[in-house]
Every structure is written in structure tokens, then in C-alpha cells.
Amino acid sequence: MLQCIFLLSDSGEVMLEKQLTGHRVDRSICAWFWEQSISQPDSFKVLPVIASPTHYLFQIVREGITFLACTQVEMPPLMGIEFLCRVADVLSDYLGGLNEDVIKDNFVIVYELLDEMIDNGFPLTTEPNILRDMIAPPNIVSKMLSVVTGNTSNVSDTLPGATSSCVPWRTTQLKHANNDVYVNLVEEMDTIINRHAPCDGVLVKCEIFGVVEVNSHLSGIPDLTLSFANPSILNDVQFHPCVRFRPWESEQILSFVPPDGLFKLMSYRVKKLKNTPIYVKPQMSSESGTCRLSVMVGIRNDPGKAVDSLAVQFQLPHGVSSANLTANHGTVDILADKTCSWSIGRIPKDKTPQMSGTLVLEEGMEQLNVKPTFQVDFKIMGVALSGLKINKLDLKNLPTPAHKGFRAQTEAGQYEVRS
Amino acid sequence: MHSALYKRLLRMLHLSRWRLRSLFTYICFTMLKGKRPNEALLSINIFQRDLGDQNPLVRAWALRTMAGIRLHVISPLVLVAVRKCARDPSVYVRKCAANALPKLHDLRLEENAAAIIEIIEILLNDNSPGVVGAAAAAFAFVCPNDLPVIGRNYKRLCEILPDVEEWGQIILIGILLRYVIARHGLAKESIMASLLPNIFSNEKTGSESDTGYLEIKKTYEIVLQEPELVAMVSRSYLAGPDKHLLHPNNSDVISSDYISSRFTSSKTDDNVKILLQCTLPLLWSRNSAVVLAAAGVHWIMAPMEEISKIVKPLLFLLRSSDASKYVVLCNIQVFAKVMPSLFAANIEDFFISSSDAYQVKALKLEILSSIATDASISIIFQEFQDYVRDPDRRFAADTVAAIGVCAKRNPQVANTCVEGLLALISPKSINSTSGSMDDEAVVLIQAITSIKDIIKQDPLSHENAIIYLIRNLDAIKVPVARAMIVWIVGEYNSIGNIIPKMVSIILRFLARGFPSESIETKYQILNAAVKVLLNSKEEDFDTAKSILNYVFELAKFDFNYDVRDRARVLRKLLSCYFSSSGLEEKPNNNEIRLLLVEHIFGEKVKPSTEMVNNRFYLPGSLSQIVFHAAPGYEPLPEPCSLTESDMVKGLEEEPTQAEANDSDVDSGSLNEEGSYYSEDSVTASTRTDSETTASESDNNNTDSLINLSDVGKPQEETNDLGELMSKGDLESWLDDNDNPGPSQNVAERVPSARISIGDISTRTKPKIYTLLDPTYGNGLKVIYKYSLEESAVSPPLVSVDTFFENCSSYSMSKILLTNEDSESSDQGSSLESQKDVPVFAPMEEISILEPGQTIKRVIHVHFHHHLLPLKLILWCNDKKHPVKLRPDIGFFLKPLMMDLDAFSQKESQLPGMFEYTRRCSFTDHLAELGSDGKDGDVSPTKDSFLIICQCLASKMLSNANLHLVSVNMPVDVNLNDASGLCLQFSGEILSNSIPCLVSVTLDGKCFEPLNASVKINCEETVFGLNLLNRIVNFLAEPQLTT
């Protein structure tokens, strides 16, 4: 039972306060929260559950905005956190991103959304599709209309049919001129590679976290089944509420009535992979106050498609006073917070990208005994590195035949190379 | 808000669109906090009209806003509206009806309670899963313990569970779990089986179910490594675990039949099976809260070999939702501690990623060190080697500590660990980091602490490590680290072959540097020197003695007084060794000293067992994350506490309820009749409004005329028992001043008069609890009540008057109350770990209790603000009876004498966050008013007011140890209107002497139930809130007619 929701800007100002129950929560709790998070920046900001003197607080931070929910009684903490995440998702979807200005500009909509999403501290309507039917997202046309006609409401006066149907995520009586559905496998690769020098890196962990995204524009109430050629490689899965459990349990087939538009049908994990597409070889040697650093990047196992937007990033260790790093390809930036980022882009055909240079240590320090971790970023379009293959997609209950499309891509998730 | 503005808003309300209306009420009721109830009433009929609208959205919003007004006056109207909406054709409206029920319940009106529960049941029976979800939430909020309601729909609820929307699922899973346990008991294949007695006792009791138990026991021993911990965890999940261990006939050997009746089988019992089946697909939910709730059910109910099903989904959560990572890890940590094998195959998931927050890293480390097995330890150590070089030195230090824990757990890797740790403190690694000394010091100290802990396990095999440490003593500059090494030298000075030879050299070296050492190192040098002396053999004795003497001489002139004092004490103790003084000591005096010295220094440290955090709460609960029982936390119900008869009783009541309900609905569903009814009531309520507003205007008039605030007169001034002094005071005040006019300068004070209600101590009856029922205690009856006296033993203790009565026909002997864990305290639960645990001061034993005799004992307990029952053991005739002492937060206080001035001053110092208010209804006075109120028309104000005050004061003082500061009542009283009557109490928290102020303000008519608004001002907010809840509960509780 949440009692109150606050939205704080990145300077700690209370942008929005929404009391949910009869037990009013005083705004002073935000001041307390902000004071604490300033005095303990590293520990407080990241704790999702905080016991303040008067209330239990749940917090999430999205793009600089802190979403804070308060309660005084026992409740599942994840419920509060998940709800805040859902609010953040819906708001950023409605407002096209989140920041202080955009929330203040669309204050009314944010209030209306919160009003609809939670009633008396218990989530009411959180399905984005239904919310869209109830409260129109802000856009130029509606703004124009409101200025011209003087009618300021963007709230629908009728209840969306979906609230009463057995598929609450789908609006009834949908009509599209072109029926099409796209399935997109978006995979993220999480890797930990250990100690490069002197020998080649050891693959400690390599796994794929993937999402099956579906973008559907189908008329009526279609019934879809999606099957994979090799579902056995999936270590674990999570489903959108529209997926029926039984067919998956018995035959590992995804059978569902899709919501309209883009949604995450399922997410999955494939563990214990053996190969990484690229290698990153950092080498460090330090003596008498300086540390030589060189990093090489190259293709290890050709994924068959081009590796794009390659970048390597690492935090300069504590005790480094200045760094002088150059690369033979791409650009090296050292940011104010001592983050060094080397953006490479696409790997050239003729040479191996290499960054090298020296780190000057602080006075009195002979050598560096802490080792930075290198975070690698890349993107490969057109291939799912987990090897997951879609077998077929069947569409039933459709008035006209529809166009189907499949895509795949892999990005680096938590791709880490320890030196 | 200005009233003019308010009126305009009201007018707008009639014209505006329905969406705006909700916004309007929101503003009104957040700004006004219910200060202008009468004007708010004017808006009601608009909502009433909207309730009949064609558009379901309008109906739903009308209901939402109406329920959101939260006024007692309109609660009957809201109830009618909810009842009507609960049968609405639209799912959305029915869902809103379910959501409105908690709002109604929040008003705490007794007369609505039954109706609310009835509507909840209707909604739980709804066909639409969406409504069921909302109804489940309402159930959990309104009547979580009314489990028969669930029982009637159990199977259907289980089947509908996967279709319920995600938020409803979270709540419904918890409710179903509670029901299954209360109705069918725990599963004997699950981890909760650790409560089964046969699991631990090897004796055969000869019952037929033995083979079954043996089988369970076998799996149990394979899967779980630390059965004690498991038993502790599973016990802490349950509400009354020891109550059902009580057996009337035999308290020493617990009857297995009795216990096993509390257990069912998750393999054969259909009810348990269906719950497990229906929660299984929820582990695939995208909502992390649903996954964790479903995992919790499997954790508690599933057979141990099938719990592994929850592993993958839980680990998946760590990756799929970033925000819930921390909470999920906190829960996994408990799972992993209880059942390390569960996660042993998934160590990679707990490897640290550089983007993790510090807390997440620390949790992962802890999990890793608890799931390490022989097979995985080498991989884990490789990881740890990387972590030690992490730029975050705090985390590196934690890693070092984790290495120590792993080594203790798996002794065969201890040597590797020590080697690795020693490499950390090698001069090379120390010198290279002179730049960031502070950070490195943390790691260094932790490394030496870990080494010390490992050495403790088996000092002999780590001789080389000790020598290595000693050799590096020169390079290590951090005082704490140095002190620790010196301690190690002293402690293990006679171990192995090499150390005894080195010891004197080291000591000489240390003694020479003594003046330049830091204080803690000096202490340890002193101790080490003494230890060496005690252990030294003939040939070294003189050297040791002279070194010690040298150190003593140096210490004598130390700058630090503590060092000087310690040296002097040690010298005196060891005076027999330094018999230079020539004084003739008595020989036995010497012996005592030697004995003392031997005891202080000679005893070798035993390897201490790991300290365990002994607070566990249900998985997925808030309390588990914050490590204390959050208000409203309830452990699982007692297994099988819900009997067949409970269920039947509920069923019998049902038809009559349903009938009443039907007739109601009939009248409600007819539109004309409904509107007729509502209009009627609205006119009625507006009429009362005009009355009250009239009285308010009266109020305003009198304001300027008489302003009476009798301040600061001590209560004992008027001793007349039962005499209402308001009038008298007023007269005397008028007499004194001759002129009532000039008091306008205190116009900001609320006009009030003080009432003296005399001595009500005769009326206060502290509640009496039963500690042991004679039927369970072989005729021994023990009752207790919280005493108002301050504890004679120590101020923070709460004293409890306990009465032991022998109801049997034979005499009893050796009656004693002891702590539950008094016998288990030797297992390492040292004093430190009990710091916050309630402490029970030992009681004087009752040697004999004759039949019919009653003996009173005062026991003293330090509750440390724990509100869970304190488990004690009652010994009688050498048999033990587990009993539970229920803490009453009202008696964690002691009265704090203060006058009204001090009170109001203190109150003004504690605004905002330190002030909390709750409302409840108060009905106690009705009984007394009913008996003598009829003829009291002569002076109705006087009597009824006095009676109300007395009732309230005596109820407060019977249930909480407070001081009644004053009783204020508004001067401009209407005959029967008790509104504004205010009682103020003050107290001080026993443990920390923080003052705690309580004011109770009444509102309503004398001959009707009154609304009491309880306000607490206290700096200790958690305590204040708990106290507030307690006060509201006992005030609302109907009086027991004795």
C-alpha cells in the first residue's frame, strides 16, 4: 500500500507530489531523503529500499529524475519498485524521454496518468495500451486543437473496451490498412574476461540476454504462434502476460494474442557460450611513477556481419594524476570524471586498432596495483550471437493475410575485460 | 483554503466535467485534511448522480472520488454505492469498487466491517480475473486473517491465479500461502520440516510413520548443511512455533503424532499441490515481484528436491530488472545460506560486474562465500584475486574478509588462503601504494584479521604464516595491524619449534621501540610480554622477566594514563614474579593472583563459531530488506490453526448474510429506489450540517467574549472525586478576575477549560494476559500484567507482575522462568550477538507452591522495542513449558510528570515528521452513559462529559503507562456535543528517556460513538508509530464487560 509518490529533479526539488491515501505524507521526507543522499552519495543513491525515520522509501532513478514512493506498512518491496519502473516507462513513453522540463511542461498529463495508474496505493491500470486509449499522449496536433478550440482535455470520455475483455492488453476492434508483424531478436552479450597479460584472456563468463520484440499492426483479434528451431538452448525465459503458459510448458511454443504496437514478447537467457566476436587485449606495466598502457582490439571470431560502433571505456584508477593516450584509429576522450573512452567505430581492414600511452601517477606512488576494468561496447546488426533461430510464425484469425518480417541484432551488454 | 474560494469551487463542481471533479476532491482533501467536513458534504449529491450514469468510466470515477473523501458521515452512502458497484456490469467499475473497500475500512467504523468483508467475498467470487486481483488486495488490507473466506473459494482462486493481473497476483499468492498453512499445515518434505522433531532426534519412538521420516531425514541431511540455521529460519517464518510444541501430558518428549498432525505432504495433499502447480508458471512473469512471491511459495511449501525450480527465475531477475537486483539478492542471500547447494552450480551469476553498486557487490560476495564448495572454491578464489585489485578498496577489503570466511568453511583450502593473504601484506605491495594510505590500510587490516581468524582454527599448521607476519612487522606501519600481529605473537608464543626461539628477540625489539608505538600497539606489547613470561621455561624466564620489567618501566612514564594504569595493574598482579619488594605477602594471596593471571592470559582462545544474524523474515517481505519487523508484518499463521469447525461456522453464517445482501442489492439496483434513498440521506445530512454550522458560528461569537484557558494548575489541586470542575473553574476564574473581557490578548488560544476528573487510578485495570493455561501446564496457571511501577532492577527494564497459581491438587516445586535459549547459549551466541535481543532478567525461583496457593513474582524484561512475543521457558517440577510473553508497547514507557505549559512547549518542538495522527472510534462510554445517562438530563453536560473523560482516561492509563497531563474541553459546549474534548498524556520511553506526548481529541455526540483522533509527538518515530497503532487499537476495541 503506497502512500505517496514524489518526483524529484536532479537538484532535489520536488517536482510532483501525489498523495494516494488518507494518511498524508509530509513533504519534509523529501528534504530528509535529499540530505541523506548528498551526505552519503555512493551508498544512498543506489539503495532501492530505504528505512527513513518515518516511512519506508522506494526509489528508482531514471535519467536524472528520482521516483520516490513512501509507505509505512509492510508490503512487497518489489511491488513498489516495479510500479515505479512502470510509471517511469509510461511517462518516458508519453513524453518522449524524461527530464525536468518535459515533466513540468506536461504536468497535467503526468497527474492524469498517475491518477489512472494507481488508486488508493494499489496499481489500477498499468497496461500502456489501455492508458493510451484513456489519456491521449501529448502531440502538436492536440496542442493546436486545444489552443484553437479551447478544449483542454486530452482525456477520453469512454472506457476502452479492453478493460472488460479477457485480453486486457489489446484494444478491441482494431483496423489497420496494412497488416504487418515484425519480430526482432535483440540480444545483449554479457562477458567477463580475465587477466590478459601474459597469456590470452580467460573467458570467465559469457552469456546472452535477449529480448524478442514484436511490432504488430494487425486487425481484429489475431492469434499468433511463434516457434524456435532450437528452444533447448534457452536457459530461462520471462513472458509478456499475453503468452499462454500451457503451450510453452508442453511444446515450447509461444502462443499469444499480441498487443498493438511494439512490445517485448519474451526475454531469455542463453548461458555458457564459448566464443566472443572480438578480443580486447590491455597491457599495463608500471615503474617509477608512470604506467605504460596499451590496448589492442580486433575480431576474434568473425560473426559474419560487420561489427559496428565499437568503443572501449575504462575508469582511470585512483592515484593516476594525468594520462596521455593516443590511438591509431578512432578518438580517445578523457572525461572530467576520469573516464577514458576510446570510440573506434568500425574496425578497419588494414590495421589493428591500438591505443597506447602513459598514465602519470601521483607523487610518491611507485606503481599501480589496482587494475581498471575495460568495458567494451559494440553492435552487430543482422545476427543473433546466441544462435537462437526462429522456426516459424503462424497467424490465425486474421481477415486478410499479413506481412511478416524478422530481424536480429546483438549488442554488448556488460562486456568486461579485466586487466 | 479560504471559504469563499471553496464555495466557488463547489459551484464549479456542478458545472464541470467529471474528470475535473476528481481532481477537485483531491485538492480539497489533501489541502484541508478533513477540516471542513460539512462543506465537503455538499458535493456528495453530484457524485451520487454520477453513480447512475450510463458511462462506466463516469460511474467508476464517481465511486473513486466519493470513497476518497474519507468522512465518517458519508461512509454509509459510500457503502451503499460500493455495494451497488460490486454488481455493476462493467469490470472496470467492479474493480474500482474493490479498490474503494480499503478506503472505507480505513475509517475504522465497526458497523461497516461485516458489510465490507461480505462485499470482498462477492468480489473474490467474480468471474473476471481483474476484479479478483483487486478484491485480493482489499482482502489483504481489510481482513488478512479472515481465512475461511478464502477457503470457500480456494480451488477457484488457485486456478484463476495465472490470469489475474500482475499486481493482484503478488497479493493473492501471499494470501493463498497463508490459507494453505493455516488450513492444511506445513509440508513435511519442505525445508519447514526442520520443525519436525524426528529430524534431529535419532531415537526411535516406534511410531509407524518412522520410515517416512527417515527418508525425509535423509534428503534433509544431504541438502542442508547447517540444520540449526535452517530450523531457526523456518521457525522465524512462523507465528506461534512453540505453542504447538506444548503438549498437555508430556512436555519433555514431544509427541511426534501431535507434531505430525501439523504437517501435510506436498506430494499427496491436493491443496498444496494445486498451489504449487499454479504458481509455477508465474516464475516466468516479467514482473519481478510476482516471480519473487511465487518463489517464496515454493521455498516454503515445495519438496526440497524441487525447490531448485526457483533458481533460474531468481537468477534471471538479476539481469532482467536492474532496479530489483538489490532486493532479489537480499532474498537469495537467505536462500543460499540455508541451502547452499541450491545455487552452487551458478557461481558465475554472482561474479561482480564493475557497474554494480557497492551494496550489490557486497551481497554477491557474501553469497559467493556461502555457496562455495570444494569443486568451485578454486574458481571463486581466482575471482577473488581479481576483486582484491579492484579500484574500490572498501570492496577489496570485503573480499579479503570473504576469503577468510571461505577458508574457515573449507579448511582444506586454508593454506592457499593464507598464502594469498600473506602476499597482500608483503612489503612490496605495501610500499607501492603509499600514495593512498588510508584505503590500503583498510585492506591490510582486514587481511591480517582474516589471517588471524584462520590461524585460530589450527595454529600449529600455520606456524610459517605467523613467522612471515613477524618478519614483516617492521614494514607494517598501520597501528591496528601492528597491534594485531603483536597479539598473534603473544597468543601463539609457544607454538611449534621456531617461534619460541624467536619470541624473546621479537619482544626485545618491541620493547625498545615501545615509546614510539601507538597506544593500541602498546597495550598489545604489554599483554604479549606477560603471556610470554607465563609460558616461558626455566632458561628463558629471566630474559622474559627482565624484558617485562623494562616494558613496565617504560610504561610507567608513558603519556597515556591508560597505558600507565594497565602497566601498574599488571605489575601488581605479577608481583610474585618481581618479589624484589621484599614485603611478606600472604601465600594464598599470591596464589589467587597467579590464578587470576592464568585466567586472564593463560587461556587459549577457542575458535568462535560464526555469528549469525538471527532475524529472518518471510521471503519477499519488506522486513527482510530492512532487517526489522515493519509495522503490519505478519509471520505465517500457525499451521492447522484453521479447523473444520471454523470453516463450517463461516458457512453457516453465509446464507443469512447473503439474504440480507440480496435484499439490499435489490433495493439498490432499482434505480429509482436507489436515488430516492440517496437523496433522502443527503437532505438528512445537510440538515445536520446547518445545525453544526450554526453551532460553529456560535462558537465564533463566544470566541471573543470568553477565553478561558486554565493553565498549569496541578491536578491534585482539586481532589474531589468524580467532580467535574469545568464549571467551578470557570466561576472561580471569573471571580478572581472580575472581568472576563481583557482576555482577548490570548485570543489565539483555543478556548478551553480544564476538567479535573479526579483520581482515576482506582478505575485503571491493566489488562491481564495468560502466560500458561492450567490445561497445558498440569494445573499450573500463570497470568501476568504489566506493572505501572518502575523496575527496581534497572530503569530500562519493564517490570511485569506475574502470578503463579496452583490449580491442581498436589503441590508443585521449582517453578522458574528462564530465557528460551539459556541452554543453547553455550553454542557461541555470545553477548555481542544478543545486543538487540530482548533480555530477560533472571527470576527468583519459587521452591514450592501448595495447591490453591498463588504467589506473585515481579519479572523484569528488557524488550529493546521488540514487538514480537518473547519466548521463555517455564520450569515446573523439572519439566519445561515453552511460553510466550507478549510485549505491550504501552508499557515501554514511564509516566513523565509535566504541566500543561511544558506539554504545549514540548509539543511545539516536535512538529512535522515527529507528529503522527490516526483516527478511530471510541465507544466505551456508551455503556456507562446508557446505565445512568437517561436520568442525567438535569445536568447532561456535566455528567456525560465527565463519564466520557473518565472512560477514556482509564482506558488509556490501563493500557499504557502514561501521565495524564490535563483534560481540556471547549468552553462553548453544546449539550451533547463532545467535540473538542481533549486529553493530553505524557510519557518517556524507558530505554532512552525520549519524551513521548499523546493527545486524544474527541469529536461527535455524547450519546453516540465518538471519533477519537490520537496524535503522538515523539522523536523516536518508529516507536511513536507503533505506539500510535497500539493506542488506536485498544481505543477502538470494545470494553470488556466484567
Side-chain angles (χ1 to χ4, degrees), chain A residues 19 53 116 157 190 194 375, chain B residues 26 55 92 319 354 386 1021:
Chain A
Q19 301 285 343
E116 191 54 56
D157 268 353
D190 296 350
N194 235 353
Q375 280 130 7
Chain B
Y26 176 72
N55 186 343
Y92 188 75
R319 180 61 176 87
S354 60
D386 280 338
T1021 42

Side-chain angles (χ1 to χ4, degrees), chain B residues 246-498:
Chain B
L246 249 177
H247 197 259
N249 296 327
N250 202 340
S251 51
D252 277 328
V253 180
I254 305 151
S255 154
S256 60
D257 292 340
Y258 187 77
I259 296 296
S260 56
S261 68
R262 302 284 170 169
F263 280 86
T264 177
S265 163
S266 54
K267 284 175 180 158
T268 53
D269 190 312
D270 284 343
N271 291 297
V272 181
K273 244 166 42 186
I274 192 172
L275 177 66
L276 291 176
Q277 258 167 21
C278 291
T279 46
L280 201 54
L282 299 185
L283 292 171
W284 291 330
S285 170
R286 63 171 173 173
N287 189 319
S288 58
V290 178
V291 178
L292 189 57
V297 171
H298 282 256
W299 174 246
I300 290 169
M301 292 308 281
M304 263 181 279
E305 56 271 22
E306 284 171 33
I307 293 183
S308 57
K309 283 177 186 164
I310 67 172
V311 172
K312 280 181 184 176
L314 281 177
L315 294 177
F316 198 20
L317 287 184
L318 295 182
R319 180 61 176 87
S320 57
S321 53
D322 226 21
S324 41
K325 201 189 225 168
Y326 174 75
V327 178
V328 175
L329 272 175
C330 283
N331 284 288
I332 289 182
Q333 189 201 8
V334 177
F335 297 162
K337 263 197 189 140
V338 174
M339 218 166 162
S341 58
L342 210 53
F343 295 92
N346 295 290
I347 46 172
E348 299 111 56
D349 285 287
F350 303 107
F351 286 174
I352 276 112
S353 138
S354 60
S355 54
D356 285 339
Y358 171 71
Q359 282 87 351
V360 171
K361 285 180 182 171
L363 274 173
K364 281 184 172 175
L365 258 188
E366 209 168 312
I367 295 171
L368 273 181
S369 51
S370 59
I371 62 174
T373 58
D374 297 349
S376 59
I377 193 100
S378 59
I379 306 171
I380 291 178
F381 271 147
Q382 256 168 24
E383 273 291 302
F384 281 179
Q385 274 169 29
D386 280 338
Y387 301 162
V388 169
R389 286 181 298 171
D390 193 280
D392 182 354
R393 298 321 282 167
R394 192 164 44 133
F395 171 59
D398 286 353
T399 310
V400 172
I403 294 174
V405 174
C406 281
K408 265 197 263 174
R409 227 176 258 273
N410 313 36
Q412 69 275 23
V413 293
N415 274 324
T416 344
C417 290
V418 172
E419 271 167 39
L421 292 171
L422 288 177
L424 274 178
I425 57 167
S426 68
K428 205 178 103 220
S429 66
I430 297 169
N431 286 341
S432 62
T433 53
S434 50
S436 53
M437 204 60 212
D438 289 348
D439 291 346
E440 283 317 308
V442 183
V443 182
L444 181 69
I445 293 167
Q446 190 57 60
I448 295 179
T449 317
S450 292
I451 295 174
K452 196 179 87 182
D453 286 351
I454 299 171
I455 293 177
K456 233 184 247 175
Q457 307 280 69
D458 181 12
L460 210 54
S461 63
H462 294 295
E463 195 190 351
N464 286 330
I466 301 174
I467 294 167
Y468 185 89
L469 281 177
I470 295 168
R471 286 195 186 284
N472 280 302
L473 192 57
D474 219 11
I476 292 165
K477 298 279 188 290
V478 185
V480 184
R482 274 183 84 84
M484 257 189 289
I485 297 178
V486 176
W487 180 87
I488 291 174
V489 172
E491 187 65 30
Y492 306 111
N493 63 62
S494 56
I495 278 172
N497 302 320
I498 308 165

Side-chain angles (χ1 to χ4, degrees), chain B residues 546-730:
Chain B
S546 56
I547 294 172
L548 186 60
N549 211 3
Y550 180 66
V551 174
F552 280 159
E553 285 301 319
L554 285 174
K556 205 190 264 177
F557 302 104
D558 200 86
F559 287 122
N560 187 285
Y561 65 89
D562 202 16
V563 174
R564 291 197 300 270
D565 289 353
R566 279 180 196 227
R568 204 166 58 223
V569 169
L570 288 174
R571 189 173 205 139
K572 273 270 176 262
L573 276 174
L574 298 167
S575 56
C576 56
Y577 290 104
F578 306 93
S579 47
S580 55
S581 59
L583 281 170
E584 284 295 313
E585 299 266 358
K586 284 173 195 165
N588 66 338
N589 205 354
N590 255 345
E591 262 168 41
I592 290 172
R593 282 184 189 174
L594 272 180
L595 210 63
L596 204 58
V597 172
E598 284 289 326
H599 264 278
I600 296 173
F601 292 106
E603 226 164 279
K604 289 292 165 218
V605 216
K606 283 180 216 125
S608 68
T609 48
E610 211 183 326
M611 279 207 294
V612 212
N613 171 21
N614 53 358
R615 292 192 203 159
F616 293 97
Y617 301 94
L618 286 177
S621 67
L622 180 61
S623 307
Q624 176 60 40
I625 308 299
V626 295
F627 294 118
H628 63 250
Y633 173 79
E634 278 195 38
L636 291 175
E638 194 183 328
C640 296
S641 53
L642 194 66
T643 56
E644 198 72 43
S645 58
D646 288 336
M647 305 285 292
V648 174
K649 200 167 71 189
L651 278 174
E652 276 166 357
E653 280 167 11
E654 197 184 27
T656 53
Q657 272 181 13
E659 268 174 38
N661 174 26
D662 276 349
S663 60
D664 255 348
V665 169
D666 283 347
S667 64
S669 61
L670 284 174
N671 217 350
E672 283 174 43
E673 230 177 298
S675 63
Y676 164 76
Y677 175 67
S678 54
E679 267 170 30
D680 187 41
S681 55
V682 166
T683 47
S685 54
T686 42
R687 209 181 300 132
T688 51
D689 289 346
S690 56
E691 267 175 35
T692 41
T693 42
S695 73
E696 263 177 22
S697 58
D698 277 351
N699 185 340
N700 289 337
N701 294 339
T702 46
D703 237 10
S704 51
L705 281 177
I706 303 175
N707 239 317
L708 181 67
S709 181
D710 184 6
V711 175
K713 296 209 172 174
Q715 202 182 335
E716 55 268 30
E717 188 202 54
T718 49
N719 279 331
D720 316 22
L721 297 189
E723 170 64 296
L724 170 86
M725 289 305 291
S726 80
K727 209 176 165 194
D729 268 359
L730 177 63

